[in-house]
Amino acid sequence: MIENPHARLDAVPAVWLRSPIGLGRAAVAGLGVVIATDLFAVWADVVMRDVTGDLASGVAVGDRADRADRLYSVAGTAQTVALLTTAVLFLCWFHRVRVNAEVFRPDGHSKTRSWAVWGWIVPIVNLWFPRRITLDIWDASSPWGAPRPHGLVNTWWTFWVISLLSGRAASRAYTRAESAEEIQEAAGQMLFADVIDIVAAALAIVVVLRLTRMQNEKAHEGPPVFA
């Protein structure tokens, strides 16, 4: 645990080191809920594909179609709530480690602190700004004179981008679908997106844990020192 989180590094005015551990734990918990809702959504995707496949083949489905539709709706709502809640927790943690990284390494950042939040929100740039910021934080938080490889960050970001783009495509396909065949195809696309999102969320948990631990360890190596 990082002690004395409110000391300021004299060489970097107005930048304070604060423990990322609490926010890191909250972000990890949120990501765990995201994975749980994604797993529920995967089940809903499979049910929807089965029902629409039977409809397309002319098989009587009775009230299975209504149940599948309700299940799909509940899964989508659960995912949205989990994602929005976790996004807030994750951004709070991300901003915290970005500020800490500036204390560790004031001149090692290609983006300003504000982009630690806006970089995730602004369209187009959100496909690469957060990765660049994460790499800067990663390098600044690595042990003094011993930068760590970027493989974990790059792998996580690759799956995140695939999940983001495939999820948007699947959502558009489902909205436009009218026939049973089109709905089945859209459900298959959503199944792929949900599985990728599970992998991306799991990798995000590893990134959060690793980066939080790196900053905690570096804070105790000194300099700097927490008061």
Side-chain angles (χ1 to χ4, degrees):
M1 178 177 181
I2 295 180
E3 299 177 353
N4 306 317
H6 299 292
R8 184 180 64 182
L9 182 65
D10 292 337
V12 188
V15 179
W16 302 73
L17 279 168
R18 300 178 64 189
S19 172
I21 294 177
L23 289 175
R25 289 172 177 168
V28 166
L31 288 164
V33 174
V34 167
I35 292 175
T37 58
D38 281 344
L39 289 170
F40 178 55
V42 166
W43 176 45
D45 295 332
V46 171
V47 171
M48 180 63 75
R49 288 194 70 212
D50 288 345
V51 170
T52 52
D54 288 342
L55 281 172
S57 301
V59 177
V61 297
D63 60 355
R64 287 172 56 209
D66 289 336
R67 289 200 302 269
D69 190 59
R70 287 195 298 270
L71 182 64
Y72 212 69
S73 177
V74 170
T77 300
Q79 283 182 299
T80 300
V81 172
L83 179 61
L84 292 177
T85 303
T86 301
V88 173
L89 296 173
F90 183 88
L91 287 178
C92 289
W93 168 83
F94 194 71
H95 188 267
R96 174 70 56 82
V97 294
R98 168 60 180 81
V99 173
N100 285 348
E102 192 170 331
V103 179
F104 291 136
R105 187 178 175 185
D107 59 349
H109 304 276
S110 59
K111 311 297 177 189
T112 61
R113 267 179 263 165
S114 61
W115 282 112
V117 175
W118 289 109
W120 294 89
I121 300 171
V122 178
I124 307 303
V125 301
N126 63 356
L127 296 177
W128 75 87
F129 269 33
R131 171 187 171 274
R132 181 64 265 169
I133 296 169
T134 304
L135 291 178
D136 291 341
I137 297 171
W138 190 271
D139 290 341
S141 304
S142 295
W144 300 105
R148 294 185 178 178
H150 296 160
L152 174 60
V153 175
N154 288 331
T155 302
W156 159 60
W157 191 250
T158 298
F159 276 94
W160 163 250
V161 171
I162 294 173
S163 171
L164 182 67
L165 298 179
S166 62
R168 289 176 180 175
S171 181
R172 286 195 299 267
Y174 186 77
T175 300
R176 296 171 182 173
E178 297 181 357
S179 67
E181 292 87 349
E182 290 173 338
I183 296 174
Q184 183 184 32
E185 177 63 26
Q189 293 181 41
M190 192 64 76
L191 175 61
F192 172 80
D194 288 335
V195 170
I196 295 298
D197 195 60
I198 290 171
V199 178
L203 288 169
I205 288 175
V206 179
V207 170
V208 171
L209 292 174
R210 185 77 58 83
L211 196 46
T212 298
R213 185 172 68 249
M214 286 165 61
Q215 289 203 343
N216 184 53
E217 291 175 351
K218 189 163 186 174
H220 287 84
E221 289 177 3
V225 177
F226 294 93

